[in-house]
Amino acid sequence: MLEHIPNDAKAMSELMRVMKKTGVSLLQVPIDMKLEETFEDPSIVTPEG
């Protein structure tokens, strides 16, 4: 989900803020290690968000 958030650093900061100091978070990301380059274009948007 974090890959869809423009300011991922702020989102991670918020996760840390709401977790207990001893809390643990398991975050999954879609990743393809076979790709040599990642293409992102934040100007592409849909009505769904």
Side-chain angles (χ1 to χ4, degrees):
M1 185 169 118
L2 289 175
E3 71 270 12
H4 300 291
I5 298 174
N7 190 341
D8 57 343
K10 185 172 182 179
M12 291 295 295
S13 175
E14 183 66 6
L15 287 172
M16 295 298 294
R17 185 186 73 80
V18 298
M19 281 191 348
K20 291 181 180 181
K21 291 199 184 286
T22 58
V24 175
S25 178
L26 301 175
L27 305 173
Q28 293 182 294
V29 296
I31 189 167
D32 187 345
M33 298 302 285
K34 294 179 269 181
L35 294 177
E36 293 183 19
E37 189 174 349
T38 300
F39 300 97
E40 294 185 52
D41 187 347
S43 69
I44 299 173
V45 296
T46 64
E48 295 83 18

